[in-house]
Amino acid sequence: MSLKPASLLAAALVAVSCATTAGPREDFFRAVAADNPYAVRSQIERGMDPNTLDDKKQTALVIALREGSPKVARALIEIKKTDVNATNGSDESPLMMAALRGQQEFVDLLLKRDAAVNKTGWAPLHYAATAGQVGIMKQLLDQHAFIDAQSPNGTTPLMMAAMYGSADAVKLLLAEGADIMMKNEQGLSALDFARRANRTDAMELLSAAATRAPQRPGTGKW
């Protein structure tokens, strides 16, 4: 059945209205995905909030870091209106994403913009440890990252390094004083994480550290 002229006009007006309200936002995120910093800057100069979330609750800066749009990432970090601590729908900050991806340049730029090294829940050190990004882990620890930070379920960076990271990541955290006796809400320790992942290297390091732990007075560890 064909629509009457009035119905066609109403439908056209709705389509035009939707295009008018959604267009700039869609153009902004298309420019982010295309790594087009000129278009991104132009949109922001015309009033686009650089901290706007897309339909999947992702920030433009997190998208740029995650999807490989380095020119846009640099531009967004340089723009003062960009909140470098704004998180996406999964509570991931730009520094967390850069740490996970091993993007040293962007870790440096974000820290210069005073990106938060510590935050409640999952933190940048968790993400760096997960990917075994030892250099970035050292940098975060030098910036006073809490070494035994706990995720919402009590998981620590050492647990993530033991299961997903590298032997060097585990070594670093142990050398810096990570608490090997901590357990998450499921009652699992870092050694349990290593066992579940069949990480022989991590198991050996953690077992050796546990053996030495009682010999270190004044640490509150046993």
Side-chain angles (χ1 to χ4, degrees):
M1 183 177 67
S2 61
L3 292 174
K4 296 180 180 179
S7 298
L8 288 171
L9 177 60
L13 289 173
V14 169
V16 170
S17 175
C18 290
T20 301
T21 57
R25 181 167 168 270
E26 292 174 349
D27 289 343
F28 176 67
F29 284 106
R30 274 197 292 266
V32 172
D35 199 20
N36 186 340
Y38 308 104
V40 166
R41 286 183 181 277
S42 176
Q43 288 275 17
I44 292 171
E45 288 169 0
R46 286 183 287 177
M48 175 63 65
D49 181 355
N51 307 303
T52 298
L53 299 178
D54 71 1
D55 292 336
K56 296 181 180 179
K57 297 185 178 179
Q58 300 293 322
T59 68
L61 183 50
V62 168
I63 292 172
L65 293 167
R66 187 189 64 200
E67 302 300 330
S69 295
K71 290 181 284 188
V72 165
R74 290 187 202 99
L76 287 169
I77 293 171
E78 290 172 359
I79 293 169
K80 297 303 181 183
K81 291 181 180 180
T82 302
D83 181 357
V84 297
N85 291 313
T87 57
N88 63 12
S90 299
D91 197 33
E92 294 171 322
S93 69
L95 184 56
M96 292 167 69
M97 190 57 59
L100 179 68
R101 300 285 182 175
Q103 297 165 326
Q104 185 65 64
E105 173 192 357
F106 294 112
V107 170
D108 293 341
L109 291 173
L110 288 164
L111 290 176
K112 286 179 182 177
R113 281 286 317 271
D114 296 322
V117 170
N118 293 304
K119 61 184 285 294
T120 57
W122 295 101
L125 187 58
H126 283 104
Y127 275 43
T130 298
Q133 303 291 352
V134 175
I136 292 173
M137 292 170 65
K138 289 179 181 177
Q139 187 174 11
L140 294 173
L141 290 167
D142 287 343
Q143 294 293 320
H144 311 293
F146 182 36
I147 197 167
D148 293 320
Q150 292 180 284
S151 75
N153 70 351
T155 298
T156 67
L158 182 59
M159 295 173 190
M160 298 303 290
M163 191 166 196
Y164 302 108
S166 65
D168 286 341
V170 173
K171 285 179 184 177
L172 173 64
L173 292 170
L174 291 175
E176 293 294 328
D179 189 343
I180 62 173
M181 305 309 294
M182 290 182 69
K183 296 183 178 181
N184 68 2
E185 290 181 354
Q186 288 73 45
L188 301 174
S189 67
L191 183 55
D192 294 323
F193 272 70
R195 286 171 176 155
R196 286 195 167 195
N198 197 27
R199 288 280 308 282
T200 303
D201 54 354
M203 284 188 278
E204 290 175 352
L205 290 167
L206 292 163
S207 296
T211 300
R212 293 192 302 269
Q215 301 172 8
R216 294 185 293 171
T219 62
K221 301 176 184 178
W222 50 273

